[in-house]
Amino acid sequence: MVAGIAAVRRPGELLIGHPSGVTPAKVQARLEGGSAMFDVLGFSRTARRLMAGSAYLPLS
């Protein structure tokens, strides 16, 4: 399954899985002074809540 998803992944696209399927998100990020800086971060909206939570970025 992972190989199938990775084969269709486009640069700058993050695939977020949820109970109803997969939502693509556009992401462009860089490290600046030890912190993640997002130049582009966007995804399409939906009428219902699909997810809640936190994102963690490893420091190394």
Side-chain angles (χ1 to χ4, degrees):
M1 182 172 179
V2 172
I5 292 172
V8 297
R9 186 175 171 270
R10 291 175 273 206
E13 181 179 68
L14 173 68
L15 301 176
I16 302 172
H18 55 82
S20 297
V22 177
T23 298
K26 293 185 182 204
V27 179
Q28 289 181 4
R30 58 189 158 79
L31 283 176
E32 186 175 295
S35 297
M37 302 299 290
F38 293 93
D39 298 316
V40 175
L41 183 58
F43 52 94
S44 61
R45 293 178 51 181
T46 178
R48 60 192 164 108
R49 185 176 181 167
L50 296 177
M51 63 190 105
S54 300
Y56 298 95
L57 178 69
L59 295 177
S60 58

